[in-house]
Amino acid sequence: MTSGKKTKATRNSVAAARSSVVASKPKPWGTIIAVIAVLGLAAGVFGYAYSQIHANNVKEAALAKWKPTDTNKDPSTQLAGIVVKDYKGSRHVEPTQRVAYDQSPAFGGPHDAQWADCTGVVYDKAVRTENMVHGLEHGAVWIAYNPDQVKDDALAKLKTKVEGIPYMMLSPFPGLDKPISLQSWGHQLKVENADDERIDQFISSLLRNANTYPEVGASCENSQFLANPAPFVAEKPGADAVPMDGGKDDSQTQPQPQQNPSTPPSGTASTPPSS
Amino acid sequence: MTSDETASGRPASGVARTLVISAAVLAVLLLGAAVGLLVKLPGSTGDSAAPASGSVDVGFCQDMAMHHLQGIQMANIARDRSADPEIRQLAFDIASTQLEQVGRMKGWLMMWNEHEQNISGVYMKWMDAAGIHGHGATTPEAGKPVMPGMATTEELTKLRTVAAGRDFDVYWLQLMLRHHVGGAPMAEYASATAGLPFVKTLADNMLKSQSAETDLMKDYLAKRGAAPLP
């Protein structure tokens, strides 16, 4: 403090001396000091603002990594090993039909008109894939596991992620090529064990992510299905199976032309309604 | 002040004076800009901003939406299974009201760039600061409900399979009554501490309408010669 006063005093005396010697050009010290003070304050405030915004951005980036937002619509694409495919929704098959799915377990494509109940349901027995895929269309995450490889503690861990948690379902999937496979509409991730941190990251990224499933707001409730779940079919689908681009669009009376399924055929207006 | 005196005495210092004044004006503008920036800082902003993750507003909307969803699920079971007009009417009221409220909460969560449901596995953590009700966070365990008042998987299965008629109606009333009572502290806490007025309003509204329904269900149970679940 003493030294501060001393420098100020020294500076004043120097200024005084200079103004007496160079009387022709006195410096407007008061103004200059005021300007420097204002500049210093401005710099301080800008610097503080920058550091605050920067810290906030860093914090948000870490939080937002697995959270879908306006600017990060599908965080799951950053997951190692994720498979992403684009599927059209709303194409239905009959309860007796099979779909020749292009993936196992399937995670999109034509499906049964009845969705598998996905209100946080733990299915003890394997369930027909055509119904499970419809649950995915409603925004659910389906955890499938190989019943020969995932048991006891590992299975209990998976159950706590599902039981009673809306839009989650768990079921055994006989013959699964990895111990655990996670499905959401158009997304799949296979992992080796129930402790893999990517399981929660997958769920965080995709559960009811309005950017990634076709029927935003659809319900997971289906008591009728829950009372009597359609059983899993182990045999490979035959030649009569519905192809991936097949199935009946709910909004159409006839099978869609394969090329542009989203455009209604212009000729159907003249077709007389059946019945 | 000093510059004024010198300027009047010496016309040659006009350039210096202009420079100094310009710098002063610039500095004042900078200061203004800096202050403007300061009042817009993240965290220091007021009501209109999205509430933070983990705030009462976000936590309430996420957890109450999930709590409501099970209420809707149970009400829908009554619409399927009960023949009693009184029960069917109440079930319709609960399902349609709560579904509408869930839609509001999920819409807000989407605007706030938040998950539409809690995916952390820890529920009601936003009530930790309370100390009022001493609930604190809950973590789901196998065979236990996720949040207070909620039915377990076993109880839901029983609701779907119990004999239709009086048995079903009574069991449904018991589960729904417990569900309403269990959710009340959440609504109470949010109606007192939420940051956004419209979240407060909704929580307060839930509290009032659900306590009226709670009384109604107690009457309905008494009328059927049954008591609430312990």
Side-chain angles (χ1 to χ4, degrees), chain B residues 34-61:
Chain B
V35 168
L37 198 63
L38 193 64
V39 298
K40 280 260 179 184
L41 266 185
S44 68
T45 37
D47 320 3
S48 59
S53 308
S55 65
V56 171
D57 302 70
V58 170
F60 171 73
C61 287

mmCIF file of all heavy atoms in Angstrom, chain B residues 34-61:
data_model
loop_
_atom_site.group_PDB
_atom_site.id
_atom_site.type_symbol
_atom_site.label_atom_id
_atom_site.label_comp_id
_atom_site.label_asym_id
_atom_site.label_seq_id
_atom_site.Cartn_x
_atom_site.Cartn_y
_atom_site.Cartn_z
ATOM 1 N N ALA B 34 -20.294 -3.634 -22.619
ATOM 2 C CA ALA B 34 -19.911 -4.633 -21.615
ATOM 3 C C ALA B 34 -21.023 -4.837 -20.602
ATOM 4 O O ALA B 34 -21.345 -5.969 -20.227
ATOM 5 C CB ALA B 34 -18.626 -4.194 -20.920
ATOM 6 N N VAL B 35 -21.624 -3.751 -20.172
ATOM 7 C CA VAL B 35 -22.726 -3.855 -19.210
ATOM 8 C C VAL B 35 -23.897 -4.596 -19.843
ATOM 9 O O VAL B 35 -24.526 -5.468 -19.228
ATOM 10 C CB VAL B 35 -23.144 -2.451 -18.710
ATOM 11 C CG1 VAL B 35 -24.462 -2.537 -17.942
ATOM 12 C CG2 VAL B 35 -22.062 -1.855 -17.829
ATOM 13 N N GLY B 36 -24.142 -4.266 -21.116
ATOM 14 C CA GLY B 36 -25.212 -4.966 -21.840
ATOM 15 C C GLY B 36 -24.966 -6.453 -21.868
ATOM 16 O O GLY B 36 -25.869 -7.273 -21.646
ATOM 17 N N LEU B 37 -23.707 -6.822 -22.115
ATOM 18 C CA LEU B 37 -23.342 -8.234 -22.145
ATOM 19 C C LEU B 37 -23.547 -8.866 -20.775
ATOM 20 O O LEU B 37 -24.019 -9.989 -20.653
ATOM 21 C CB LEU B 37 -21.871 -8.337 -22.564
ATOM 22 C CG LEU B 37 -21.378 -9.669 -23.077
ATOM 23 C CD1 LEU B 37 -22.111 -10.038 -24.342
ATOM 24 C CD2 LEU B 37 -19.883 -9.585 -23.352
ATOM 25 N N LEU B 38 -23.175 -8.108 -19.752
ATOM 26 C CA LEU B 38 -23.247 -8.623 -18.395
ATOM 27 C C LEU B 38 -24.673 -9.016 -18.013
ATOM 28 O O LEU B 38 -24.902 -10.064 -17.423
ATOM 29 C CB LEU B 38 -22.720 -7.548 -17.431
ATOM 30 C CG LEU B 38 -22.441 -8.013 -16.002
ATOM 31 C CD1 LEU B 38 -21.328 -9.033 -15.985
ATOM 32 C CD2 LEU B 38 -22.086 -6.834 -15.126
ATOM 33 N N VAL B 39 -25.634 -8.164 -18.354
ATOM 34 C CA VAL B 39 -27.007 -8.491 -17.951
ATOM 35 C C VAL B 39 -27.555 -9.670 -18.744
ATOM 36 O O VAL B 39 -28.554 -10.258 -18.390
ATOM 37 C CB VAL B 39 -27.964 -7.282 -18.061
ATOM 38 C CG1 VAL B 39 -27.523 -6.183 -17.136
ATOM 39 C CG2 VAL B 39 -28.080 -6.786 -19.484
ATOM 40 N N LYS B 40 -26.895 -10.062 -19.837
ATOM 41 C CA LYS B 40 -27.366 -11.206 -20.637
ATOM 42 C C LYS B 40 -26.584 -12.480 -20.340
ATOM 43 O O LYS B 40 -26.718 -13.462 -21.047
ATOM 44 C CB LYS B 40 -27.225 -10.872 -22.130
ATOM 45 C CG LYS B 40 -28.358 -10.003 -22.652
ATOM 46 C CD LYS B 40 -29.366 -10.841 -23.388
ATOM 47 C CE LYS B 40 -30.521 -9.995 -23.896
ATOM 48 N NZ LYS B 40 -31.547 -10.818 -24.523
ATOM 49 N N LEU B 41 -25.773 -12.437 -19.305
ATOM 50 C CA LEU B 41 -24.939 -13.609 -19.009
ATOM 51 C C LEU B 41 -25.787 -14.846 -18.703
ATOM 52 O O LEU B 41 -26.843 -14.736 -18.079
ATOM 53 C CB LEU B 41 -24.078 -13.325 -17.786
ATOM 54 C CG LEU B 41 -22.681 -12.804 -18.056
ATOM 55 C CD1 LEU B 41 -21.939 -12.689 -16.743
ATOM 56 C CD2 LEU B 41 -21.925 -13.721 -18.976
ATOM 57 N N PRO B 42 -25.311 -16.026 -19.123
ATOM 58 C CA PRO B 42 -26.046 -17.247 -18.769
ATOM 59 C C PRO B 42 -26.085 -17.403 -17.260
ATOM 60 O O PRO B 42 -25.095 -17.164 -16.582
ATOM 61 C CB PRO B 42 -25.204 -18.359 -19.405
ATOM 62 C CG PRO B 42 -23.869 -17.765 -19.641
ATOM 63 C CD PRO B 42 -24.110 -16.305 -19.882
ATOM 64 N N GLY B 43 -27.221 -17.776 -16.741
ATOM 65 C CA GLY B 43 -27.349 -17.968 -15.308
ATOM 66 C C GLY B 43 -27.860 -16.726 -14.620
ATOM 67 O O GLY B 43 -28.593 -16.808 -13.651
ATOM 68 N N SER B 44 -27.472 -15.544 -15.133
ATOM 69 C CA SER B 44 -27.956 -14.317 -14.512
ATOM 70 C C SER B 44 -29.252 -13.855 -15.152
ATOM 71 O O SER B 44 -29.813 -12.856 -14.771
ATOM 72 C CB SER B 44 -26.901 -13.214 -14.650
ATOM 73 O OG SER B 44 -26.774 -12.834 -15.992
ATOM 74 N N THR B 45 -29.697 -14.602 -16.179
ATOM 75 C CA THR B 45 -30.915 -14.209 -16.869
ATOM 76 C C THR B 45 -32.145 -14.554 -16.049
ATOM 77 O O THR B 45 -32.108 -15.405 -15.167
ATOM 78 C CB THR B 45 -31.011 -14.908 -18.231
ATOM 79 O OG1 THR B 45 -30.505 -16.205 -18.102
ATOM 80 C CG2 THR B 45 -30.267 -14.133 -19.284
ATOM 81 N N GLY B 46 -33.237 -13.926 -16.386
ATOM 82 C CA GLY B 46 -34.445 -14.056 -15.575
ATOM 83 C C GLY B 46 -35.386 -15.145 -16.020
ATOM 84 O O GLY B 46 -34.972 -16.218 -16.453
ATOM 85 N N ASP B 47 -36.661 -14.851 -15.933
ATOM 86 C CA ASP B 47 -37.746 -15.820 -16.037
ATOM 87 C C ASP B 47 -37.860 -16.525 -17.394
ATOM 88 O O ASP B 47 -38.241 -17.678 -17.459
ATOM 89 C CB ASP B 47 -39.086 -15.151 -15.754
ATOM 90 C CG ASP B 47 -38.995 -14.161 -14.616
ATOM 91 O OD1 ASP B 47 -37.877 -13.969 -14.093
ATOM 92 O OD2 ASP B 47 -40.008 -13.589 -14.258
ATOM 93 N N SER B 48 -37.563 -15.796 -18.470
ATOM 94 C CA SER B 48 -37.904 -16.325 -19.781
ATOM 95 C C SER B 48 -37.005 -17.472 -20.218
ATOM 96 O O SER B 48 -37.357 -18.223 -21.109
ATOM 97 C CB SER B 48 -37.847 -15.209 -20.811
ATOM 98 O OG SER B 48 -36.553 -14.670 -20.821
ATOM 99 N N ALA B 49 -35.845 -17.636 -19.598
ATOM 100 C CA ALA B 49 -34.901 -18.654 -20.044
ATOM 101 C C ALA B 49 -35.383 -20.054 -19.673
ATOM 102 O O ALA B 49 -36.208 -20.226 -18.780
ATOM 103 C CB ALA B 49 -33.542 -18.403 -19.426
ATOM 104 N N ALA B 50 -34.851 -21.057 -20.396
ATOM 105 C CA ALA B 50 -35.185 -22.440 -20.075
ATOM 106 C C ALA B 50 -34.586 -22.790 -18.719
ATOM 107 O O ALA B 50 -33.460 -22.409 -18.422
ATOM 108 C CB ALA B 50 -34.624 -23.357 -21.142
ATOM 109 N N PRO B 51 -35.320 -23.506 -17.875
ATOM 110 C CA PRO B 51 -34.753 -23.900 -16.587
ATOM 111 C C PRO B 51 -33.627 -24.908 -16.789
ATOM 112 O O PRO B 51 -33.595 -25.627 -17.781
ATOM 113 C CB PRO B 51 -35.938 -24.533 -15.866
ATOM 114 C CG PRO B 51 -36.895 -24.924 -16.925
ATOM 115 C CD PRO B 51 -36.691 -23.979 -18.072
ATOM 116 N N ALA B 52 -32.712 -24.941 -15.840
ATOM 117 C CA ALA B 52 -31.538 -25.805 -15.957
ATOM 118 C C ALA B 52 -31.910 -27.267 -15.734
ATOM 119 O O ALA B 52 -32.914 -27.572 -15.085
ATOM 120 C CB ALA B 52 -30.496 -25.368 -14.934
ATOM 121 N N SER B 53 -31.072 -28.161 -16.290
ATOM 122 C CA SER B 53 -31.233 -29.584 -16.000
ATOM 123 C C SER B 53 -31.103 -29.773 -14.493
ATOM 124 O O SER B 53 -30.232 -29.167 -13.870
ATOM 125 C CB SER B 53 -30.145 -30.398 -16.691
ATOM 126 O OG SER B 53 -30.098 -30.083 -18.052
ATOM 127 N N GLY B 54 -31.960 -30.604 -13.949
ATOM 128 C CA GLY B 54 -31.895 -30.842 -12.510
ATOM 129 C C GLY B 54 -32.683 -29.829 -11.702
ATOM 130 O O GLY B 54 -32.786 -29.956 -10.486
ATOM 131 N N SER B 55 -33.235 -28.817 -12.358
ATOM 132 C CA SER B 55 -34.051 -27.836 -11.633
ATOM 133 C C SER B 55 -35.390 -28.462 -11.244
ATOM 134 O O SER B 55 -35.770 -29.519 -11.754
ATOM 135 C CB SER B 55 -34.292 -26.612 -12.509
ATOM 136 O OG SER B 55 -35.061 -26.973 -13.635
ATOM 137 N N VAL B 56 -36.107 -27.781 -10.370
ATOM 138 C CA VAL B 56 -37.420 -28.262 -9.949
ATOM 139 C C VAL B 56 -38.357 -28.356 -11.159
ATOM 140 O O VAL B 56 -39.071 -29.339 -11.337
ATOM 141 C CB VAL B 56 -38.014 -27.332 -8.866
ATOM 142 C CG1 VAL B 56 -39.463 -27.698 -8.571
ATOM 143 C CG2 VAL B 56 -37.191 -27.408 -7.597
ATOM 144 N N ASP B 57 -38.301 -27.342 -12.012
ATOM 145 C CA ASP B 57 -39.205 -27.320 -13.167
ATOM 146 C C ASP B 57 -38.989 -28.531 -14.073
ATOM 147 O O ASP B 57 -39.937 -29.221 -14.447
ATOM 148 C CB ASP B 57 -38.993 -26.034 -13.966
ATOM 149 C CG ASP B 57 -39.226 -24.801 -13.110
ATOM 150 O OD1 ASP B 57 -38.389 -24.544 -12.215
ATOM 151 O OD2 ASP B 57 -40.236 -24.131 -13.299
ATOM 152 N N VAL B 58 -37.735 -28.787 -14.423
ATOM 153 C CA VAL B 58 -37.430 -29.910 -15.309
ATOM 154 C C VAL B 58 -37.734 -31.235 -14.603
ATOM 155 O O VAL B 58 -38.399 -32.113 -15.150
ATOM 156 C CB VAL B 58 -35.956 -29.864 -15.772
ATOM 157 C CG1 VAL B 58 -35.564 -31.146 -16.478
ATOM 158 C CG2 VAL B 58 -35.734 -28.665 -16.688
ATOM 159 N N GLY B 59 -37.260 -31.360 -13.370
ATOM 160 C CA GLY B 59 -37.448 -32.601 -12.622
ATOM 161 C C GLY B 59 -38.916 -32.935 -12.418
ATOM 162 O O GLY B 59 -39.342 -34.079 -12.608
ATOM 163 N N PHE B 60 -39.690 -31.937 -12.057
ATOM 164 C CA PHE B 60 -41.125 -32.156 -11.844
ATOM 165 C C PHE B 60 -41.790 -32.619 -13.138
ATOM 166 O O PHE B 60 -42.538 -33.602 -13.136
ATOM 167 C CB PHE B 60 -41.780 -30.870 -11.336
ATOM 168 C CG PHE B 60 -43.284 -30.932 -11.293
ATOM 169 C CD1 PHE B 60 -43.936 -31.679 -10.329
ATOM 170 C CD2 PHE B 60 -44.050 -30.246 -12.232
ATOM 171 C CE1 PHE B 60 -45.328 -31.749 -10.299
ATOM 172 C CE2 PHE B 60 -45.435 -30.311 -12.213
ATOM 173 C CZ PHE B 60 -46.077 -31.067 -11.242
ATOM 174 N N CYS B 61 -41.510 -31.922 -14.241
ATOM 175 C CA CYS B 61 -42.156 -32.291 -15.510
ATOM 176 C C CYS B 61 -41.783 -33.709 -15.931
ATOM 177 O O CYS B 61 -42.631 -34.476 -16.390
ATOM 178 C CB CYS B 61 -41.798 -31.287 -16.611
ATOM 179 S SG CYS B 61 -42.647 -29.712 -16.400
#
